[in-house]
Every structure is written in structure tokens, then in C-alpha cells.
């Protein structure tokens, strides 16, 4: 193999150097929340204004990270609709969780101005604080006052 081909082979097998693609990762979420994030009444909440409000406050960011890392279950009201369903924990690295949550807040929920991006270090710190968490425990972290009705 020439040096040029070797360099090409190495660069195409080191995806860790590139930031994860939030839009591509959102395909996993879209299976339930739909590609637009509009959700399904009674089953999957829309990822809309409540997500923007959560992402602007530390407590809300902690909740969003915990929902993806540990799942979520329990009754809640989002955008005027009631849900009492179950979201499984999502298998994501810290980089991937940060990328997909930033994408959800800024692109799917359309935050204007954009929210501060979630960082891998922030996700790691929240994960470390909630090692024994569960889908039920995530519900207790939801800042319902920010969610509105
Ligand atoms: C298998 C279906 C499913 C998948 C996949 C899924 N979710 Fe969920 N999600 C749910 C359900 C169901 C709820 C509501 C749980 C309840 O009723 O307690 C929820 C709730 C949420 C909430 C909380 C909304 C609120 O108003 O409190 C966020 C944030 C969220 N999901 C983000 C994501 C992201 C980001 C992904 C992809 C990485 C994802 N979800 C993947 C089913 C899913």
C-alpha cells in the first residue's frame, strides 16, 4: 500500500476524531418521537417548547441527560397532552448523548436563540451523579414547572 493509501485507510477508520452527528443519532429517537419530533398523542411526547425551556436551565439539562442515559417512566404532561409510558435507556457515549441532545433542542425543538451545546464533559458529570438511577428516578428529576401544562 502506498503511503497515500495508508493515510486514507487510517483517516477513514478513525471516526472518534469527528464529532458525532446529532441528526444521524436522532434517527434512533425518531422511531418513537417521529422524525419531526412531534411525537404521538398518548404514547410519545413531542420534543418541543418544554425541551427548549429544560435546556436553558441546569435542572432541566440534568433531567434531559438522565432521560437518555437511564430512560423514563411515570405520568407527565407535555405540551398539553398526558403521557404515562416507558422510554428505554439509550445506549450512547457521552459524545453521542451531547450531540443528540443539542440537536434535539436546537434543530428539532427549534430553540431561538440556540441553547448552549451539551458537552461530553457535562454528560459524564451528570452520569457520574446518577449511577444508580432508573427510568422511575428520571421522572423525579423532571422540572415540571418549566414544562408548563
Ligand atoms: C422506544 C421509544 C422511545 C425512544 C427510542 C426514545 N424515546 Fe424519548 N420518550 C419515550 C417515551 C414513551 C417518553 C415518555 C415517558 C413517560 O410517559 O413517562 C419519552 C420522553 C422523552 C423525553 C422527556 C420529555 C418531557 O417532556 O419530559 C425526552 C427529553 C426524550 N424522550 C428524548 C429522547 C431522545 C433524545 C431519544 C433518542 C436518543 C429518545 N427520547 C428515544 C419514548 C422513546
Amino acid at each position: 500500500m502506498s503511503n497515500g493509501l495508508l493515510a486514507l485507510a487510517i483517516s477513514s477508520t478513525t471516526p472518534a476524531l469527528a464529532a458525532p452527528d446529532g441528526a444521524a443519532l436522532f434517527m434512533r429517537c425518531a422511531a418513537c418521537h417521529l422524525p419531526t419530533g412531534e411525537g404521538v398523542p398518548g404514547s410519545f411526547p413531542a420534543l418541543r417548547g418544554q425541551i427548549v425551556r429544560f435546556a436553558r436551565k441546569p435542572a432541566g439539562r440534568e433531567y434531559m441527560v438522565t432521560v437518555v442515559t437511564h430512560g423514563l417512566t411515570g405520568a407527565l404532561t407535555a405540551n398539553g397532552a398526558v403521557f404515562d409510558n416507558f422510554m428505554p435507556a439509550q445506549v450512547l457515549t457521552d459524545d453521542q448523548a451531547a450531540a443528540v441532545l443539542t440537536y434535539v433542542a436546537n434543530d428539532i425543538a427549534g430553540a431561538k436563540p440556540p441553547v448552549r451545546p451539551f458537552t461530553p464533559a457535562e454528560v459524564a458529570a451528570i452520569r457520574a451523579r446518577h449511577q444508580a438511577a432508573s427510568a422511575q428516578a428520571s421522572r423525579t428529576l423532571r422540572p415540571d414547572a418549566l414544562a408548563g401544562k
Side-chain angles (χ1 to χ4, degrees):
M1 194 186 288
S2 78
N3 284 345
L5 275 179
L6 183 61
L8 192 64
I10 291 171
S11 66
S12 63
T13 54
T14 48
L17 293 178
D21 182 346
L25 290 164
F26 184 72
M27 303 292 280
R28 306 184 193 182
C29 323
C32 294
H33 294 281
L34 300 194
T36 54
E38 72 195 88
V40 177
S43 297
F44 307 116
L47 304 175
R48 292 289 189 236
Q50 91 277 29
I51 297 301
V52 175
R53 292 188 294 276
F54 292 156
R56 294 204 194 285
K57 294 279 196 283
R61 294 171 76 93
E62 183 127 7
Y63 169 68
M64 287 173 66
V65 169
T66 310
V67 168
V68 298
T69 58
H70 294 282
L72 175 67
T73 193
L76 57 89
T77 302
N79 305 294
V82 178
F83 300 87
D84 193 355
N85 199 356
F86 176 81
M87 172 173 154
Q90 303 295 297
V91 180
L92 297 166
T93 63
D94 294 343
D95 298 37
Q96 289 175 327
V100 77
L101 288 174
T102 302
Y103 180 80
V104 165
N106 287 336
D107 296 85
I108 295 297
K112 297 223 174 10
V115 307
R116 180 165 54 80
F118 287 80
T119 66
E122 178 181 14
V123 172
I126 293 170
R127 239 196 247 273
R129 278 201 291 279
H130 297 282
Q131 285 183 18
S134 62
Q136 288 81 0
S138 296
R139 176 64 187 89
T140 68
L141 294 177
R142 189 175 193 261
D144 286 325
L146 293 177
K149 292 278 190 289

